[in-house]
Amino acid sequence: MQISMDDLELPCWDCKGSGEVTSEEGTLVTCDKCSGTGVILTTLGQTLLSFMKKHLRQ
Amino acid sequence: MADSPVLGDYFVIRALENGVQVIGMTRGPETRFHHAEKLDKNEVMIAQFTEHTSAMKIRGKALLYTAHGVIRTDGELNEK
Ligand SMILES: [Zn+2]
């Protein structure tokens, strides 16, 4: 099974992956749709991340 | 919505092209994107509204089968 990056995460629609959006005052602020990360994880991405977290702790 | 998340409304998304994006939005005062999915052509996703997801955004050519009928995201009326 091959996994590509867009199987794991997709760029945020609001900030287009930058993690920042322009506020009403015209300043750059953290995008709250993605909490500033710029990406949204897929089910596969979330599964892989929790698997890694679990086994890295051990 | 029903009390049990198992009984919540659901709908079917059928991708008509590669790279259709589905983004789930959180329920509550702040709508964040909490989940994304990429569908390739002819992949089908059955999505349900739950205690965590109150809205979904879909980008790309897809057919949505809902309780309100069939919706094509590219605006064409007839299937195929
Ligand atoms: Zn964002």
Side-chain angles (χ1 to χ4, degrees), chain A residues 7 13 32-33 41-43, chain B residues 21 31 33 35-37 57:
Chain A
D7 291 323
W13 281 358
D32 45 69
K33 293 289 187 209
L41 267 61
T42 65
T43 305
Chain B
Q21 293 180 13
T31 49
F33 298 152
H35 172 251
E37 213 56 65
K57 283 171 82 164

Side-chain angles (χ1 to χ4, degrees), chain A:
Chain A
M1 182 189 180
Q2 280 200 359
I3 300 173
S4 59
M5 280 312 280
D6 63 359
D7 291 323
L8 300 175
E9 61 179 28
L10 292 174
C12 172
W13 281 358
D14 267 30
C15 62
K16 314 279 187 290
S18 70
E20 287 177 318
V21 288
T22 310
S23 69
E24 281 169 29
E25 294 83 44
T27 52
L28 277 180
V29 293
T30 302
C31 172
D32 45 69
K33 293 289 187 209
C34 63
S35 310
T37 60
V39 292
I40 316 292
L41 267 61
T42 65
T43 305
L44 188 61
Q46 289 178 15
T47 303
L48 192 62
L49 183 67
S50 58
F51 175 85
M52 298 291 281
K53 277 181 175 167
K54 182 176 117 190
H55 291 285
L56 282 172
R57 269 207 310 271
Q58 289 171 1

